[in-house]
Amino acid sequence: MSVTDKEREEIEKSSAPLIEHLIELRRRLIWSLGGFFIAFLVCFFFAKRLFNLLVIPFKWATQWAGLDPHKVELIYTAPQEFFFTQVKLAMFGGMVIAFPLIATQIYKFIAPGLYKNERSAFLPFLIASPILFLLGASLVYFFFTPMVMWFFLAMQQVGTNDQVQISLLPKVSEYLSLIMTLIFSFGLVFQLPVVTSLLTRVGLLSSQALAEKRKWAIVLSFVVAAVLTPPDPMSQCGLAIPTIILYEVAIWSSRMIERSQARDRLEREQAEAGSSVASNTPDAPST
């Protein structure tokens, strides 16, 4: 059987009436929404504990600034502010917890429409994506959030005869928005090798094109960092520099994929050439 016949057979196996696709889509949506709703309820039940966990980088920043970490204080100025902050935190946590389930349901829905080699190529990226997101979130939690808060704490002013007392009293909603923005930004940037590798596998991108656009990528990294991060140079450089490093990793990953594809293509051509030679070889005369 030729390669074309195999592809045609896979297409026939994956074909299904429209109503079956809609039923399958509904089932996947129910699983995804159900998983998110359960994760949301769990995170909302532990919302205050999760918020206290997110305040720990703020305490580290106060230690860096030479202040007492036990006197960290956050405020809310509207009666409903802290409640909606907990809802927002529960939604964010629920999405993070339910993401592996949601990604799995998306993969199960589109997998029947893919070739066997495409399914085997897509699955590793499905595993790598949440791992890279967690790496970016960990970098934010353990380093960049304390660094950013230390930068803001350094702007405080001690009251004297000639100066007024200026203290940082962040609102709970604004602090949560800051750390969520940083986590989302870094988690999104850490997906760069995954996206470029997928585009390279399908032939929409090449390592040479990535290398040629390196200068533009550096400029774009600082522009995106200026948009996604707070308006301070430390957090902007903190996002731009890992982006540039990940861009270099994406170039290296694309080159590895291209070499692997070239090697597989050469082996396939050699196998086809060997089979054609064997089929054209005349049979030995019978005795």
Side-chain angles (χ1 to χ4, degrees), residues 157-165:
Q157 180 174 285
V158 179
T160 61
N161 294 332
D162 300 328
Q163 296 177 343
V164 297
Q165 178 75 24

Side-chain angles (χ1 to χ4, degrees), residues 68-83:
D68 187 3
H70 300 289
K71 294 183 179 180
V72 172
E73 182 179 359
L74 287 85
I75 64 172
Y76 61 97
T77 57
Q80 74 280 5
E81 181 179 349
F82 189 48
F83 171 77

Side-chain angles (χ1 to χ4, degrees), residues 230-264:
D232 66 278
M234 298 184 65
S235 59
Q236 292 174 7
C237 293
L239 179 59
I241 293 175
T243 304
I244 297 172
I245 296 175
L246 288 171
Y247 189 83
E248 297 297 328
V249 173
I251 295 176
W252 175 82
S253 177
S254 298
R255 286 174 180 169
M256 294 297 102
I257 292 174
E258 289 173 348
R259 291 176 184 176
S260 177
Q261 289 178 339
R263 184 169 57 252
D264 294 342

Side-chain angles (χ1 to χ4, degrees), residues 168-239:
L168 175 63
L169 292 176
K171 298 170 61 176
V172 291
S173 58
E174 293 176 350
Y175 178 79
L176 180 64
S177 297
L178 172 64
I179 195 169
M180 283 176 55
T181 300
L182 289 173
I183 291 175
F184 177 77
S185 302
F186 277 78
L188 189 64
V189 166
F190 270 65
Q191 303 304 312
L192 183 61
V194 175
V195 175
T196 54
S197 299
L198 282 174
L199 293 177
T200 302
R201 278 192 176 274
V202 299
L204 297 177
L205 199 60
S206 65
S207 60
Q208 182 179 358
L210 290 172
E212 292 175 352
K213 301 297 188 298
R214 182 182 282 109
K215 295 181 180 179
W216 292 101
I218 294 175
V219 175
L220 186 60
S221 298
F222 282 95
V223 173
V224 172
V227 174
L228 294 179
T229 59
D232 66 278
M234 298 184 65
S235 59
Q236 292 174 7
C237 293
L239 179 59

Side-chain angles (χ1 to χ4, degrees), residues 15-115:
S15 61
L18 177 61
I19 188 64
E20 293 186 11
H21 287 297
L22 294 177
I23 294 174
E24 179 71 11
L25 177 61
R26 183 184 65 178
R27 181 164 59 250
R28 301 305 174 191
L29 286 175
I30 291 174
W31 275 99
S32 300
L33 292 176
F36 169 74
F37 184 70
I38 294 174
F40 168 79
L41 292 178
V42 173
C43 290
F44 185 76
F45 181 78
F46 296 101
K48 289 186 177 180
R49 296 183 182 180
L50 292 175
F51 191 85
N52 290 326
L53 188 64
L54 294 178
V55 175
I56 292 178
F58 190 12
K59 294 181 178 180
W60 294 339
T62 58
Q63 290 180 333
W64 295 359
L67 303 175
D68 187 3
H70 300 289
K71 294 183 179 180
V72 172
E73 182 179 359
L74 287 85
I75 64 172
Y76 61 97
T77 57
Q80 74 280 5
E81 181 179 349
F82 189 48
F83 171 77
F84 285 111
T85 299
Q86 295 181 68
V87 172
K88 188 177 181 180
L89 176 59
M91 292 179 64
F92 183 76
M95 182 59 67
V96 172
I97 295 175
F99 177 78
L101 175 63
I102 296 174
T104 302
Q105 296 303 314
I106 294 175
Y107 173 76
K108 288 183 177 181
F109 178 73
I110 65 175
L114 301 176
Y115 295 125

